[in-house]
Structure formats: structure tokens, C-alpha cells
Amino acid sequence: MEVKNWSDLWLSYSNKIGAGESSCTVMYDGFEPENRILKSAEKELFKGLSEVGTAVKFRRNEAVAKEGYNINGGKDITVIEASDENGALYGAFHLLRSLECGEDITELNVSKAPSNPLRMMNHWDNMDGSIERGYSGRSFFFEKDDIIINERTVDYARFMASIGINGVVINNVNVKWAATDLITIRFFDKLYELSEIFADYGIKLYLSLNFASPIELGGLDNCDPLDDQVIAWWKDKVKEVYDRLPNLGGFLVKADSEGRPGPFTYGRTQADGANMLGDVIAPYGGIIIWRCFVYNCTQDWRDTKTDRARAGYDYFKDLDGQYHDNVILQIKNGPMDFQIREPISPLIGGLTKTNQMLEVQIAQEYTGHQIDLCYLIPMFKEILGFKTYCQSENDTVADVVSGRAFGNKLAGMAAVINTGNDLNWTGNDLAAANLYGFGRLAYDTELTAEEIAREWVRLTFDLDKELEDKLVNMLLTSRETYEKYTSPLGIGWMVTPNTHYGPSVDGYEYSRWGTYHRADHFGIGVDRTDKGTGYAQQYYQPNADMYNDPKTCPENLLLFFHHIPYDWKLKSGQTLIQYIYDSHFEGYEEAKELQKSWKAFEGKVPQNVYNCVSHRFELQVANAHEWCDQVNSYFYRKSAVADEKGREIF
Ligand code: GCU
């Protein structure tokens, strides 16, 4: 028997109660005790409630929302009501969470319904075991071109269910090698096994698909979505897949982007591609999740009218209403690529007749590689709360992606996940707050970033109130700290190309000529107004006008929308150049503060956690220092304006 040496994350159940195996009493009313999901719920209750001595009854109540639950605590018995098994399981996890957080569960009286129907994790794991943008070791799903199934797989499913995740895409959106394509006979047995483990926890398995499979697997000479032979090939293939994997949720597709094949090659639209696959998968109840991250990465950035930010809207908006019912568009939160600050993609809510879901990234690709502390839930809250003005009410991003705004059944949130086979799952132990937080938020978008942080801290550690507050505060301020020492006021990037860690102010991915920031001797920023690229006009009013005018544009996005002179006065009274200097020095200081604050946790968290996080703070401070130096000296040289405070800038 393998000795379990990996972290239990927020499910350790060991902080405040014993981790004994003795059982509590579980009863059923209207639910089948032998049901696989209820068995999982029962196992979990045995783990976490063993020493509490309360009995739990699962009662079916058809009036409870899908995947929702009511909990009524009592001295002798706690009743969890749900209309389906997932709801019952989530109710059990809620009960356990409340107990671990120190609440009196006999007094519990809650009623929950998920905000989003689809709550998904997207792994960017490759079959060779590497992970694209992975910062936590290698894949725990794949190694050496094969699928891994072991005890960690089960724990993974438990973690996901405990935060309300109901769908997981296990492989990278960049599906590149036909020899290891998952939709081939070689992998069906293991995929089936995996889907069964997931099913025990109410999770559906999804796969990323290669749009060029008819060529690469099928030997056809094209993959035109309107070609009869191609369609016939997909029909056979999808039948073969569903014969072996009847519970498969569907496919995620990245097409026509960053070298991936797609319908554009054949003069077809994104809707042609997505609908063809949607039709083929419809008889099996599957769905097609089609990504909107479509842009021409080789476009010449020197042309000031060309703008990558425009691409999503330009390619997808006109096709609104053409997508079939079982197709859902997955839209990144911003128009660029998971920067520390971006405006909201105008496609969200820009589409009013199409199923859509939000994609965010908890893998910290541009936000510090899980070396730097960057708690992302405050950012996700901002995104969800953004008023799109797509209609007069019910128009926030949360309204749109939950399906509430336009009555879509297919809707939700997905995160590019931050896990790997490191023993602590997320590289930096503190990055697990993002993993936990995404799930909790996707289930309940009303939770605040602070509530989620506090829950996570309580479930993960056993700290006194003062240290708990300290850690919560460190998490809550970390995003702004990271933003301060990296790229200012929404301009983004300035990172080392390809790796996306550390500064490279002029670093530009795809050609020798571009910069993302367009800084010159006079100023910095991209003119995305009606006189520039016109991107601001992709928003509804009054957002379009607000962004179009530098005086009304939110300052934290000023350089995203405008080319601004260095002597521009910000609302604080600082000039732009002074703001750049000040925020970078501040960010570096704050990084040092974080490192110092963490020292208080020695002896209060497990030593290995303490050491791992300490080491990362050391690296973060070095990184912040480097950023501060490089950004400040770059803009000093460009602008030739000295720091008012006379600090040393080289
Ligand atoms: C980013 C990231 C890529 C990824 C892509 C995507 O560009 O750097 O690694 O493949 O996003 O979302 O498809």
C-alpha cells in the first residue's frame, strides 16, 4: 500500500477534530443509499464527523434547485435536503466545512443553489507529463504518453467536488500529437476508469480535441467542417468514443489560434466549425465548448490600427445567434491574455443570443508562476461584478455567464488550473487559495474574496485569530502588490517572452518589431479609442464613452486604452512618470513586507509549508527588485524625467 505523502489541502479534517475512522450515522430518505455519489458523501462524513456524534439524514426534496441543498442542523440529527445527488454531496461538504470553520453545526440553517450550471477546471496537461503553463511539477494525469490512475486521482476528485466543480477537461487545449490523441482505442479503458472515479464525485470528464483529427488520425486530406467525408469521419469517431465513454461531457476546442488548425483554413466561420461538432455529438447529449481565444498571432503590430484586443469580438460578434444549442463559447476574461489587469472582454454580454462561459486562469502564467503570491479572487470578483450594459438590468458578467441574463441553460465558469504532482498540489502552498477560491466562487458568486480567503485559511491551517487575520490580509493585498511592481495601469506584459516570468519591458512574443506598450520619448500606452484602434467602441454605452475618454477611463486601465504623456496628471496629483516610479518602489517594498510577515508563521504552520513558502517569498522579493529596477530605469531613460523623490534609478 502506497504511503500517502501528499497534502490533503483543505480537507485534512484534522485541525479541530480527530481524524479517526469511526463512523457517524447516515440515513436516507428518498435517496438510494447505494448511489455512488451518496457513497462518496457518506465516506466523507465518516472522515470528518467521526467524533462529533451527530447523525446526518439525506432527504430528497424536489423543490431544491439543481445541485443545490438545504441544511437544517439539529442537536441529534442534521438534515441535508437536495433534489439530486450532486446537491446532497455539496451539502455534505458544506456541513464539514462549517464544522472545520468552527461554526455550531447544530444551528446550521442554509439554503444554497449554484450560481453557475457549469463549473469547470481546464488542465493544460500534455500526454508526456509536462504541463503547459504548469508551476507545480508534472501532470498527475499523464506520464510517458499514458494515463495515470492512482489514489491521488481519487483525492483530486474529492477536492474538486468539495468546492463544487462538476466538469474537468484533463488535457491541454493544444492537442498536438496524433500518436497520443486521447480519442483513440489505446486510451479508452483508462479514460473509462477515470470517468468512473469522477462520476463517484459528480464530475463529468471532458476532453480537448484536435480540430485536424480527420487529417491526423483519419488520413483524410482536409478537415473542412462542411466536407461530407469529414463530417462522416467525425460521426464515426464520436460514436466510437461514446460507445466506450458513455458519460463523457463533451469536447473543448481551440481552433484557428496560435498555430492550431480550424475552420478559417477552409474559408469557414467559427460557427461552421463549432456547429458541425455540436451536431455530431448531440445524439449522445454531449456539448462542444468552443474557445474564443482566436487571433492572428503573426499580425504586424507596427500597424497602429491592428489590435489583438479586437480580435475576439471581430471574429465572433457577427455570428451571434448562429451557434447551436449544445455549443457554448468559452471567453477569456480579458481581450488579451490573463494579464494582471485587463478590461473585461466586450464579447461577454456583447453576445446576447449565444451560450457563453467565462474562462479565467488560476495557473499563474502572467501573475507570478506560483512563486509570487497573487490571490486572484479579488480580480475574479471585479470581473463578475462588471456591468456590461447588455440590457437594462441583470447585465453584469456574473448575470451573463451564469445564464441568468439571457436564459441560457449552458453557461458557467472555467479556470485554467494551477495543479501538478507536487506533494502540495499547487507548488506554492498559498496558491491553493486560488484553487479553492475559484471553485467556491463559481458555485456561489456572491461570496466575497475575503470570506473565501478566510474559509480557506481556516480549513487549511490551525492559526490563532491574529495570524488568521494576517494571512487573510496578505492574500487580499497580494494582487495589488504584484500589479505595482510589474506592468502599470493596465498596459500588461513587459514580461520575458515565452516564459512569462520576470521583466523584459520591450519583450514581444511574435516578432522583432513590436512592443505591447508602445512607449516612446513622450508617453506610453495604446490608443484604443475611436481615433486609434477603435477597440473601446466594442463596448456598450456608457462603457464605450467612458473608456474612450482618458478623463473618464478608470485610471487602472488608462494605458490599456490611451497613449498618455509622462507628465499627465493622475487624480492623485502624481504625474504618470512619477506614478510609475512610486508604484514600483512601493511594490518592491510590499513584497519585502510580505516576506517579513510570513516569518510570524514559523512553528505555526507545518515546517515544510513554512519552508516552501519562505523560499518562494525570497524569490518573489528578488523578482520584485528586478522588475522595479528594470521598469524604472527603462522609463527614466525614455522620458529623461528624474524621480521627484531623488531615489536612485539607473
Ligand atoms: C496563452 C498561453 C498559451 C496558451 C494560450 C491559450 O497564450 O501562453 O500557452 O496555449 O494562452 O489559452 O490557448
Side-chain angles (χ1 to χ4, degrees), residues 124 132-133 173-174 254 258 291 293 332 337 359 365-366 500:
W124 285 0
E132 183 152 338
R133 312 307 177 186
V173 286
N174 296 310
K254 171 177 179 177
E258 298 178 337
R291 294 179 83 225
F293 186 61
K332 285 191 184 184
D337 197 8
E359 177 179 320
E365 174 178 359
Y366 295 96
H500 301 163

Side-chain angles (χ1 to χ4, degrees), residues 274-544:
N275 288 339
M276 180 274 289
L277 289 172
D279 292 350
V280 167
I281 205 173
Y284 310 96
I287 64 170
I288 296 298
I289 306 172
W290 190 268
R291 294 179 83 225
C292 294
F293 186 61
V294 178
Y295 72 104
N296 174 7
C297 64
T298 59
Q299 71 189 16
D300 192 339
W301 189 250
R302 288 169 301 178
D303 167 6
T304 53
K305 293 282 175 205
T306 307
D307 186 3
R308 168 173 167 179
R310 290 189 57 111
Y313 193 94
D314 283 348
Y315 288 135
F316 287 90
K317 170 68 184 166
D318 288 348
L319 304 171
D320 193 14
Q322 292 183 30
Y323 294 89
H324 294 177
D325 285 350
N326 65 337
V327 171
I328 177 165
L329 300 189
Q330 185 167 302
I331 309 170
K332 285 191 184 184
N333 60 273
M336 298 298 270
D337 197 8
F338 301 133
Q339 301 304 297
I340 188 67
R341 191 174 295 273
E342 283 186 53
I344 308 307
S345 167
L347 254 189
I348 302 175
L351 301 170
T352 60
K353 301 190 272 298
T354 299
N355 297 323
Q356 50 198 300
M357 70 193 280
L358 173 68
E359 177 179 320
V360 296
Q361 192 186 42
I362 53 176
Q364 287 174 240
E365 174 178 359
Y366 295 96
T367 52
H369 282 202
Q370 287 141 243
I371 296 170
D372 301 31
L373 184 66
C374 194
Y375 176 58
L376 292 161
I377 308 306
M379 180 201 287
F380 301 163
K381 284 293 290 182
E382 273 170 28
I383 294 164
L384 290 166
F386 180 76
K387 228 175 141 38
T388 67
Y389 296 102
C390 61
Q391 54 190 8
S392 53
E393 50 190 30
N394 265 344
D395 68 331
T396 64
V397 169
D399 291 325
V400 174
V401 302
S402 63
R404 279 192 300 272
F406 303 115
N408 310 72
K409 287 208 180 62
L410 279 188
M413 289 171 64
V416 179
I417 198 168
N418 60 354
T419 51
N421 71 357
D422 279 359
L423 294 180
N424 66 5
W425 300 86
T426 54
N428 185 336
D429 293 89
L430 301 186
N434 286 329
L435 182 61
Y436 179 81
F438 170 77
R440 293 287 289 127
L441 188 63
Y443 189 90
D444 183 356
T445 51
E446 293 299 305
L447 289 171
T448 67
E450 177 171 351
E451 282 169 330
I452 292 173
R454 197 167 292 280
E455 263 183 26
W456 176 78
V457 170
R458 287 191 177 171
L459 296 174
T460 307
F461 301 114
D462 190 8
L463 301 171
D464 61 29
K465 183 75 172 70
E466 196 186 325
L467 282 183
E468 177 186 308
D469 287 346
K470 196 181 189 93
L471 189 50
V472 168
N473 189 49
M474 287 166 72
L475 290 167
L476 288 174
T477 55
S478 58
R479 183 242 185 153
E480 271 170 49
T481 297
Y482 186 83
E483 182 178 27
K484 281 183 187 172
Y485 62 77
T486 56
S487 61
L489 304 182
I491 191 69
W493 314 94
M494 298 189 180
V495 289
T496 311
N498 305 316
T499 68
H500 301 163
Y501 188 80
S504 166
V505 180
D506 280 340
Y508 183 71
E509 216 99 57
Y510 296 106
S511 81
R512 280 176 295 133
W513 309 293
T515 63
Y516 289 103
H517 53 67
R518 297 195 175 157
D520 53 28
H521 179 54
F522 304 103
I524 165 179
V526 183
D527 184 354
R528 293 193 160 101
T529 67
D530 51 351
K531 299 193 184 57
T533 72
Y535 167 79
Q537 275 56 56
Q538 291 184 338
Y539 291 88
Y540 292 103
Q541 292 297 8
N543 288 339

